[in-house]
């Protein structure tokens, strides 16, 4: 049977989770293997359901309810799948690079849905549901993002209750929903999607996390080195800001300030829970993201691989950027086919195509079968002369901590001696050389104080034109023109500013970073005071990367103490002088020797 145009009965049978077939007007219409925009966006049903989470995190004596703003076709008489974004950002920050908030009519009916998902997918027969995380915008409760999202998935599958108003008794049923859900979103929203998948919840068929967090320990700590605690999410509505103070204080207490990995962090380690994942994954990550470190991608992706999860990824050299703003047309087409495959059950082959689309240099993309690529790791050893070679070298070098300087300063002027960092550089590479994966650094070090922080930076030295990701730049910039992606109304046009690459020239490119507390050399679960003058050996990861070192460039390892770019300046610095024993210090770099 071809896929040119299918009737409602045939297409309804393709649904992964569907109600009994209804012999009525067409449901989904497929042409050339994709769902067609045949339903009215203007006449779509717009409504809100307040869904019970089963918790009372704000301790007001009432079961918390999260607000789920819904837009769905009015014409469909068969049950339909849901594309869902669970976010704390809909009111105070907005979504997308234009920071779109949700908007409402005077009676509270939702009228403006941020981003293009509603404009593009509702005419194709999907529902789009935007959920306010507990305590944000119109939701009650406190910040438990995964519970917020899972509650709505349960409601869409008939396993939870929802109501027409925030506190009223009138129930509302999702009798229009097939139960199949795809969770999508960037940053915190992406982290929520990853956490929902790690819970193994039934009904979540796919996730599309964009720059999402997979382990919150690494957000606040680097291998035992505590960066600082930002407190609550900062997006609470006025009611929750007061009621949730005890909840947030308890979270901060359980997280701790000692850099130890503990039960609190284990509960937020989604990498360790990939065995529970039942959803397919279409992820995106920028290797120069200063907001969500790429270490959130590499170990998680390899764990998904080991668990056999169907997956796809777009990887790029920009910062905290949505692929919608990198290659808009192709990303929308790919996302369309992805949702059709996993939410409608259309056998379009998207999961058998190359899993990786990767940008190696600005706007130059390639398709690859796997990530990281089949490769070998090189071990490089620093020397007292400042080299980085293939064999261990004797000697020792010292750095004196300067908590006012960070990695961005350490890497400048590499030939000029500086007491707060040391630079070890390879000879210029003879051919383009790709490093891809998650590097590690092993140090053997002595401190003159009972504690010592360590910073390690992998740098490419050589002239290049790259995406500008020097904070606060993201590697893209808006134009004044707009393009439209789907249908629209005056309240929600579906039109967005076009973007192009924001380029700059540089001769210094940081490609990976890592931090550690030497007192955690035995275990991340428990640090210990150092004996001044005693040597300790510790191995820790740098951020995941995929970078091509061009011919003639030099790859370098820079070592320092406290990185002022990362640590809360209110935290006291150890003030240590750290001496590295070079014969026991090395860098392991995954990659291919030639490109």
């Amino acid at each position: 049977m071809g896929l040119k145009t299918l009737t409602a009965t045939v297409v309804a049978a393709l649904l992964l989770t569907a109600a009994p077939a209804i012999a009525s007007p067409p449901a989904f219409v497929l042409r050339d293997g994709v769902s067609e925009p045949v339903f009215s966006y203007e006449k779509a049903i717009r409504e809100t359901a307040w869904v019970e989470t089963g918790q009372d995190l704000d301790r007001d004596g009432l079961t918390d309810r999260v607000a789920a703003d819904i837009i769905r076709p009015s014409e469909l008489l068969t049950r339909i799948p849901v594309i869902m974004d669970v976010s704390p950002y809909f009111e105070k920050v907005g979504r997308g690079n234009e920071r779109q908030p949700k908007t409402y009519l005077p009676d509270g009916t939702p009228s403006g849905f941020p981003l293009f998902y509603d404009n593009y997918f509702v005419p194709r027969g999907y529902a789009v549901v935007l959920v306010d995380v507990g305590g944000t915008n119109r939701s009650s409760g406190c910040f438990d993002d995964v519970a917020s999202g899972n509650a709505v998935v349960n409601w869409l599958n008939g396993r939870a209750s929802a109501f027409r108003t925030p506190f009223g008794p009138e129930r509302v049923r999702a009798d229009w929903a097939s139960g199949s859900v795809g969770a999508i979103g960037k940053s915190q929203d992406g982290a929520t999607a990853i956490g929902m998948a790690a819970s193994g919840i039934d009904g979540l068929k796919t996730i599309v996390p964009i720059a999402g967090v997979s382990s919150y320990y690494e957000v606040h700590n680097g291998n035992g080195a505590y960066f600082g605690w930002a407190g609550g999410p900062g997006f609470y509505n006025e009611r929750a800001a007061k009621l949730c103070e005890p909840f947030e204080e308890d979270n901060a207490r359980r997280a701790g300030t000692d850099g130890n990995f503990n039960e609190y962090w284990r509960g937020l380690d989604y990498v360790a829970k990939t065995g529970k994942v039942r959803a397919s994954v279409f992820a995106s990550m920028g290797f120069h993201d200063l907001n969500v470190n790429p270490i959130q991608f590499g170990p998680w992706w390899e764990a998904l691989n080991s668990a056999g999860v169907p997956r796809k990824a777009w990887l790029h050299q920009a910062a905290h950027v949505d692929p919608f703003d990198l290659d808009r047309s192709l990303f929308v087409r790919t996302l369309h086919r992805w949702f059709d495959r996993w939410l409608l059950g259309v056998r379009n082959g998207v999961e058998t195509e190359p899993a990786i689309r990767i940008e190696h240099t600005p706007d130059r993309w390639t398709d690859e079968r796997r990530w990281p690529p089949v490769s070998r790791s090189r071990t490089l050893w620093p020397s007292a002369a400042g080299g980085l070679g293939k064999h261990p070298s004797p000697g020792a070098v010292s750095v004196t901590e300067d908590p006012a300087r960070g990695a961005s300063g350490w890497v400048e002027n590499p030939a000029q001696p500086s007491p707060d960092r040391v630079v070890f550089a390879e000879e210029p590479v003879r051919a383009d050389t790709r490093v891809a994966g998650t590097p590690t650094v092993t140090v053997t070090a002595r401190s003159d104080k009972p504690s010592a922080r360590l910073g390690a930076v992998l740098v490419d030295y050589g002239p290049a034109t790259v995406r500008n990701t020097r904070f606060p730049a993201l590697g893209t910039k808006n134009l004044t023109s707009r393009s439209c992606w789907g249908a629209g109304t005056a309240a929600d046009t579906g039109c967005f500013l076009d973007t192009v690459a924001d380029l700059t020239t540089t001769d210094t490119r940081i490609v990976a970073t890592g931090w550690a507390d030497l007192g955690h050399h035995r275990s991340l679960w428990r640090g210990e005071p150092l004996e001044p003058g005693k040597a300790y050996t510790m191995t820790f990861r740098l951020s995941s990367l995929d970078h091509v070192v061009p011919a003639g460039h030099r790859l370098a390892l820079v070592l320092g103490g406290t990185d002022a770019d990362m640590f809360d300046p209110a935290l006291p610095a150890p003030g240590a002088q750290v001496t590295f024993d070079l014969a026991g210090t090395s860098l392991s770099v995954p990659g291919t020797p030639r490109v």
Side-chain angles (χ1 to χ4, degrees), residues 238-526:
E238 184 176 355
R239 181 176 186 272
K242 180 65 174 178
L243 292 177
C244 294
E245 285 181 0
F247 174 79
E248 290 299 334
E249 289 169 359
D250 184 59
N251 281 341
R253 177 189 59 78
R254 292 190 296 129
T257 61
D258 53 14
N260 289 347
F261 189 83
N262 56 33
E263 291 299 328
Y264 177 82
W265 297 122
R266 182 154 72 172
L268 295 171
D269 180 7
Y270 305 139
V271 177
K273 300 178 182 180
T274 51
K276 295 183 179 180
V277 173
R278 303 163 68 180
S280 63
V281 174
F282 180 13
S284 177
M285 175 56 72
F287 287 114
H288 294 276
D289 194 333
L290 300 180
N291 192 323
V292 174
N293 190 293
I295 194 65
Q296 300 291 344
F297 175 77
W300 175 65
W301 185 257
E302 296 194 54
L304 291 172
N305 178 48
S306 297
V309 174
R311 64 208 174 282
K312 188 177 187 67
W314 275 39
L315 308 175
H316 55 84
Q317 303 301 325
H320 201 55
V321 171
D322 192 315
F324 182 71
D325 296 319
L326 295 173
D327 189 343
R328 191 163 290 180
S329 178
L330 183 57
F331 176 69
V332 172
R333 292 200 307 270
T334 305
L335 184 66
H336 181 185
R337 295 176 65 229
W338 188 262
F339 280 144
D340 278 359
R341 168 66 184 91
W342 297 106
L343 298 182
L344 293 183
V346 179
R347 300 289 179 176
N348 55 26
V350 67
E351 77 275 19
T352 65
E353 296 170 355
I356 304 298
R357 184 160 180 82
I358 185 166
E359 179 193 45
H360 289 299
T361 56
D363 287 329
R364 296 184 63 184
W365 298 78
T366 60
D367 292 327
E368 300 178 1
R369 286 286 173 187
R370 60 181 63 85
W371 193 93
V374 175
S375 62
R376 61 181 178 84
S377 290
R378 295 186 295 148
T379 299
L380 301 172
W381 305 80
S383 70
L388 197 59
K390 298 178 180 179
H391 305 288
S393 177
V397 295
S398 297
V399 297
T400 300
E401 184 175 60
D402 180 355
R405 288 235 305 164
S408 58
W410 296 347
V411 302
E412 300 296 335
N413 304 311
Q416 179 179 327
S418 180
D420 64 336
R421 56 92 165 125
V422 286
V423 180
F424 307 101
E426 269 195 299
E427 292 298 315
V429 297
R430 296 181 180 180
D432 291 358
T433 302
R434 183 180 179 185
V435 287
T438 305
T440 60
V441 168
T442 296
V443 297
T444 299
R446 293 171 278 131
S447 171
D448 67 347
K449 298 289 192 300
S451 62
R453 294 182 191 141
L454 307 174
V457 187
L458 197 58
V459 191
D460 175 350
Y461 286 115
T465 298
V466 300
R467 287 187 180 270
N468 178 19
T469 55
R470 190 175 183 89
F471 186 81
L474 297 175
T476 62
K477 59 184 178 182
N478 291 336
L479 300 176
T480 57
S481 61
R482 290 183 176 271
S483 55
C484 303
W485 298 87
T489 63
D492 193 329
T493 65
C495 303
F496 305 88
L497 290 172
D498 295 317
T499 59
V500 293
D502 180 13
L503 302 180
T504 188
T505 56
T506 184
D507 58 6
T508 304
R509 185 74 158 166
I510 293 176
V511 296
T513 49
W515 308 270
D517 169 67
L518 191 57
H520 285 79
H521 60 98
R522 294 184 192 273
S523 170
L524 292 185
W525 284 84
R526 183 179 179 183

Side-chain angles (χ1 to χ4, degrees), residues 51-80:
V51 182
E52 286 190 336
T53 67
Q55 301 173 311
D56 182 14
L57 297 181
D58 57 13
R59 304 178 189 179
D60 64 352
L62 303 172
T63 302
D64 299 335
R65 296 181 183 180
V66 293
D69 290 321
I70 302 158
I71 179 169
R72 55 188 175 91
S74 60
E75 301 97 328
L76 285 175
L77 296 178
T78 189
R79 297 194 180 196
I80 61 175

Side-chain angles (χ1 to χ4, degrees), residues 7 24 112 150 161 165 179 212 222 240 251 309 338 366 369 434 459 487 516 554 560 578 595:
T7 64
S24 294
N150 281 355
S161 298
T165 59
N251 281 341
V309 174
W338 188 262
T366 60
R369 286 286 173 187
R434 183 180 179 185
V459 191
R554 294 157 64 95
V578 177
V595 177

Side-chain angles (χ1 to χ4, degrees), residues 536-555:
Y536 299 89
T537 298
M538 183 178 187
T539 298
F540 58 95
R541 299 181 303 192
L542 306 185
S543 50
S544 303
L545 79 163
D546 197 308
H547 178 76
V548 176
V549 183
H553 285 213
R554 294 157 64 95
L555 188 68

Side-chain angles (χ1 to χ4, degrees), residues 85-89 95 133 143-147 149-150 183-199 204 207-216 219 267-271 283-285 291-292 296 300 320:
D85 186 350
V86 184
S87 179
Y89 301 132
R95 306 309 297 127
V133 169
F143 194 97
D144 187 334
D145 58 325
V146 172
N150 281 355
I184 188 171
K186 176 186 167 188
S187 197
Q188 175 61 63
D189 309 12
T192 303
I194 293 171
M196 291 170 64
S199 76
L204 185 65
I207 63 170
V208 185
I210 299 165
V213 172
S214 63
S215 175
Y216 277 92
V219 174
L268 295 171
D269 180 7
Y270 305 139
V271 177
S284 177
M285 175 56 72
N291 192 323
V292 174
Q296 300 291 344
W300 175 65
H320 201 55

